[in-house]
Amino acid sequence: IPACRTPGVKVPRNFRLLEELEEGQKGVGDGTVSWGLEDDEDIMLTRWTGMIIGPPRTIYENRMYSLKVECGPRYPESPPFVRFVTKINLNGVHNSNGVVDTRAVAALAKWQNSYSIRVVLQELRRLMMCKENMKLPQPPEGQLFSN
Amino acid sequence: MADNGGADPVNNNNNTTVALEGTIIKVTVKTPKDKEEIAISEDASVTQFKEEISRRFKAKQDQLVLIFAGKILKDGDSLNQHGIKDGLTVHLVIKTAHKAGDGASSSSSGTTQVGSSSGNSSGPSSAAHPSTVGSTGGPASAPPQTPNLLTGFGGLSSLSSMGMGSANFMELQQQMQSQLMSNPEMLSQIMENPLVQNMMSNPDLMRQMIVANPQMQQLMERNPEISHMLNNPELMRQTMELARNPAMMQEMMRNQDRALSNLESIPGGYNALRRMYTDIQEPMFSAARDQFGNNPFSALGGNSDGGVQPSRTENREPLPNPWGSTNPSEGGGGTGTTGSSTTGSTTPSVSNPLGVNSASLGNGMFSSPGMQSLMQQISENPQLMQNMLSAPYMRSIMQSLAQNPDMASQNPASSPSAGENPAQQLMMQQMLQMFAGGNSSSQTPEVQFQQQLEQLGAMGFINREANLQALIATGGDVNAAIERLLGSQPS
């Protein structure tokens, strides 16, 4: 792993994303979130899919939430664009299209280039465990946001 | 390469044997708790992979959900399709049978509801909310053997402890309980019953009743606070005051709700409350719940999506307000309770720690068929009578009965079931007389009715013996005694 964690060193976008791809495939992390390229042929490594496993002891338990993550050309300097595909009722997620409000998620609002897709997914999962969210009534399982 | 050997992943699906053509890859399968390395052919289908996994993780195939690189692996796919290669990790979620998401919330609300009034014979538990109890609500009928908080009342528990614990006896209590629980009107009637009020004004009596309940005892062992609370006469008195006065109770509860929501907003306060709830209130509730079958809180909490209702418990922290409610609650249950706390169910509150339900004492006691049968049993068995009389609670009852002869005679007379059966009514009266007459431990009837005897004497009834008899029969009511005497005089 290149010394990309040294502050001040700007790692090229593709390097970063490839690294994240590898991590996603190797299951780095605690196994509660997963991410990977939406399309293996995507050489720009722009479109990613993510999966969050609903945390236990919340209303989201046992559900799997699918997301789309888009890493723009300025990633990792700019935060990615995140959207829920699986319908969810969560503060900070638009009810109509599943778009995650950048201001509502700390990792996105205060984005740093050392953050990654994994960080964003884990943050969203943490949000599910918050008191204000953990009991929100949810739509029936399996529903998707309409694009 | 071996790819072609695998042909379409779709066709490959129905093979039960793992295709050994092609290289074997080792894939790590990771659950939040567990991690296993599974060897599988790189051409395998997801279905085959799941078979292997179900064997290794001891779960059913249809419970398995596999995720790789942010995508769910569908049975029809192949591992290859998803790019799963040697050394990579796939995430696994094993779906549990029931929907934990919904189940958990409603069950937590279920646990909180309590037949409340661990204190006294209150068949509290929201008679009006049977529907909202919903899910776990709880078994309506406890087994006949279950000692009953109701037993405290009327010294019935002492009867059972004296070896009276026949199944019949317990059933009687159960019946009383269920009657009370199902009839909200009865509950409110009970409240007005002066007998009840009398009883409740006697803190010692209350305490005895409460303590006599083995479950309370258990609870007390586990939570010294509770025994402390019981020992505090001031507290008991307030509790009873409260119980007697539904309006006051509501007031208190509202205050607590407010305090509760304030506490919630204190950083760290929420957790403290939660802890306290689980430490104190839950055992209490569970103890009471067994008897009452359900927890009033679940009904109350039904509205807020299964949020646990604020359960009141004695304050552990040195807040200036002795009733300082630190009411643990999860989520905004606070407002939910206020409205619904009235009907019959007693949410034990700080000021009413044992959840004594004002509306649920006593009256039903006399009118329940169970009670009637008890009376019958008693009249058949004088020894029983003896035992009953010597119970400490009985003495107090008798005293209050003696002091309120009108009420005492009203009771059996007004109870509908007694009214229907004159024989039973008579029996009731006899019993009451026996009570009054048997109350010789504190004072002889002569002494007791001293004043009345004098009155009768002054009126010209010189037959002291007859006077005494009459007074005993009427429980000290001079006017009634006079009528008796006049009626018995030969014309």
Side-chain angles (χ1 to χ4, degrees):
Chain A
I1 295 184
C4 57
R5 302 297 171 228
T6 323
V9 175
K10 265 168 99 171
V11 180
R13 176 184 177 277
N14 286 4
F15 276 35
R16 261 295 296 274
L17 288 169
L18 279 173
E19 192 181 83
E20 295 198 40
L21 181 61
E22 196 178 341
E23 284 179 358
Q25 291 179 334
K26 290 216 176 111
V28 169
D30 55 4
T32 50
V33 297
S34 173
W35 63 99
L37 269 182
E38 183 174 325
D39 179 3
D40 285 332
E41 308 294 318
D42 180 6
I43 49 174
M44 291 307 294
L45 306 171
T46 317
R47 269 181 268 285
W48 296 69
T49 57
M51 186 79 61
I52 300 178
I53 300 171
R57 287 181 296 281
T58 66
I59 194 127
Y60 309 99
E61 181 171 8
N62 268 358
R63 294 211 197 183
M64 259 134 329
Y65 292 95
S66 176
L67 298 90
K68 279 204 202 309
V69 181
E70 207 169 288
C71 298
R74 290 217 303 268
Y75 182 90
E77 298 306 316
S78 306
F81 174 68
V82 186
R83 182 164 91 73
F84 271 87
V85 173
T86 313
K87 239 190 183 161
I88 187 174
N89 184 9
L90 182 70
N91 278 315
V93 178
H94 282 262
N95 263 325
S96 53
N97 53 12
V99 171
V100 175
D101 188 354
T102 315
R103 296 157 300 177
V105 181
L108 293 175
K110 300 198 181 68
W111 176 262
Q112 300 188 8
N113 59 11
S114 53
Y115 290 173
S116 63
I117 296 172
R118 172 167 62 89
V119 168
V120 176
L121 293 176
Q122 283 176 332
E123 170 90 8
L124 285 169
R125 188 170 187 273
R126 246 198 311 277
L127 277 178
M128 291 186 200
M129 300 198 277
C130 275
K131 195 168 64 137
E132 56 177 17
N133 287 322
M134 69 194 290
K135 291 208 186 102
L136 290 176
Q138 295 300 314
E141 200 169 350
Q143 274 191 9
L144 309 177
F145 280 110
S146 47
N147 277 16
Chain B
M1 229 192 80
D3 275 41
N4 296 334
D8 312 307
V10 178
N11 286 347
N12 229 355
N13 265 354
N14 298 331
N15 289 355
T16 45
T17 54
V18 176
L20 284 178
E21 8 163 333
T23 40
I24 301 282
I25 53 173
K26 291 212 183 51
V27 181
T28 306
V29 178
K30 208 172 173 190
T31 64
K33 300 196 183 104
D34 225 349
K35 195 161 86 162
E36 296 269 346
E37 209 177 68
I38 303 222
I40 188 114
S41 157
E42 68 178 3
D43 309 312
S45 66
V46 172
T47 310
Q48 288 169 332
F49 194 30
K50 279 192 176 176
E51 272 167 27
E52 199 46 49
I53 292 175
S54 96
R55 270 195 284 270
R56 193 74 74 84
F57 282 84
K58 315 260 186 311
K60 292 220 252 328
Q61 245 177 286
D62 41 13
Q63 284 176 299
L64 306 177
V65 179
L66 290 171
I67 298 168
F68 178 71
K71 296 200 198 80
I72 295 184
L73 307 183
K74 300 201 185 26
D75 285 354
D77 303 337
S78 75
L79 299 184
N80 207 353
Q81 194 178 331
H82 284 280
I84 297 175
K85 298 187 174 40
D86 189 35
L88 296 184
T89 300
V90 171
H91 296 291
L92 170 68
V93 176
I94 301 178
K95 284 184 168 228
T96 42
H98 72 103
K99 279 297 251 160
D102 311 310
S105 43
S106 43
S107 57
S108 60
S109 58
T111 29
T112 39
Q113 190 180 28
V114 129
S116 72
S117 65
S118 19
N120 283 290
S121 42
S122 2
S125 167
S126 43
H129 291 283
S131 48
T132 28
V133 167
S135 60
T136 46
S141 52
Q145 264 63 34
T146 311
N148 195 331
L149 285 172
L150 255 182
T151 64
F153 206 83
L156 297 175
S157 67
S158 62
L159 278 179
S160 64
S161 60
M162 276 182 239
M164 249 299 290
S166 66
N168 190 11
F169 194 60
M170 295 305 178
E171 274 165 20
L172 153 71
Q173 289 160 9
Q174 289 307 317
Q175 279 174 9
M176 269 200 258
Q177 214 183 3
S178 33
Q179 265 210 343
L180 282 174
M181 289 206 290
S182 53
N183 186 350
E185 279 158 18
M186 198 188 301
L187 295 181
S188 43
Q189 273 178 11
I190 284 165
M191 213 17 245
E192 269 114 57
N193 190 338
L195 171 63
V196 167
Q197 289 182 350
N198 246 325
M199 292 218 43
M200 297 184 77
S201 54
N202 182 351
D204 284 330
L205 178 57
M206 298 293 276
R207 183 171 184 281
Q208 275 172 341
M209 281 195 240
I210 292 167
V211 173
N213 184 330
Q215 285 187 331
M216 272 309 287
Q217 283 168 357
Q218 253 187 7
L219 204 56
M220 275 168 49
E221 277 169 63
R222 280 190 282 161
N223 281 318
E225 262 80 12
I226 294 181
S227 49
H228 175 70
M229 166 179 75
L230 278 174
N231 289 334
N232 182 351
E234 191 49 47
L235 195 70
M236 290 295 294
R237 209 188 322 267
Q238 281 224 17
T239 301
M240 294 188 298
E241 272 297 316
L242 247 197
R244 285 199 277 182
N245 186 347
M248 185 162 149
M249 180 130 66
Q250 277 200 35
E251 229 357 85
M252 288 303 266
M253 299 220 252
R254 265 185 221 118
N255 288 341
Q256 281 150 22
D257 286 338
R258 273 196 294 261
L260 166 69
S261 28
N262 285 342
L263 277 163
E264 265 190 6
S265 53
I266 298 173
Y270 172 73
N271 287 332
L273 292 182
R274 196 179 184 143
R275 255 177 296 140
M276 274 196 347
Y277 168 75
T278 39
D279 288 340
I280 296 181
Q281 208 59 30
E282 262 199 279
M284 241 166 121
F285 281 171
S286 327
R289 179 182 21 145
D290 294 337
Q291 322 217 335
F292 293 113
N294 45 15
N295 183 336
F297 285 130
S298 74
L300 302 174
N303 32 2
S304 57
D305 192 31
V308 168
Q309 289 304 309
S311 32
R312 280 84 164 131
T313 180
E314 191 185 20
N315 181 15
R316 264 181 172 162
E317 295 162 6
L319 291 180
N321 176 2
W323 300 112
S325 46
T326 16
N327 295 328
S329 90
E330 294 184 21
T335 40
T337 13
T338 348
S340 36
S341 52
T342 47
T343 37
S345 63
T346 319
T347 58
S349 54
V350 167
S351 40
N352 180 5
L354 301 175
V356 175
N357 187 341
S358 56
S360 59
L361 303 162
N363 197 357
M365 193 171 89
F366 289 110
S367 51
S368 95
M371 193 62 183
Q372 297 301 333
S373 68
L374 172 66
M375 301 301 185
Q376 266 174 345
Q377 276 189 326
I378 287 173
S379 47
E380 282 154 26
N381 182 355
Q383 181 58 29
L384 189 65
M385 206 42 206
Q386 212 42 35
N387 289 343
M388 211 161 135
L389 291 179
S390 57
Y393 327 119
M394 278 321 270
R395 264 186 226 135
S396 320
I397 288 190
M398 289 189 304
Q399 275 173 3
S400 30
L401 278 178
Q403 285 153 20
N404 294 308
D406 291 328
M407 174 199 63
S409 50
Q410 249 178 34
N411 247 329
S414 63
S415 65
S417 48
E420 288 158 320
N421 189 341
Q424 280 180 336
Q425 204 172 13
L426 187 61
M427 192 179 58
M428 282 295 298
Q429 283 181 349
Q430 279 178 349
M431 188 182 127
L432 286 170
Q433 286 168 21
M434 281 199 286
F435 279 178
N439 187 7
S440 52
S441 51
S442 49
Q443 7 165 241
T444 62
E446 213 174 321
V447 172
Q448 205 178 352
F449 299 134
Q450 178 81 2
Q451 192 200 10
Q452 288 95 325
L453 279 171
E454 281 173 9
Q455 279 181 332
L456 288 175
M459 281 187 241
F461 295 102
I462 45 182
N463 186 347
R464 204 172 157 78
E465 273 308 312
N467 290 354
L468 192 56
Q469 286 304 317
L471 281 170
I472 291 173
T474 59
D477 180 357
V478 177
N479 289 333
I482 289 174
E483 284 178 12
R484 273 183 96 86
L485 291 168
L486 288 175
S488 63
Q489 273 186 8
S491 52

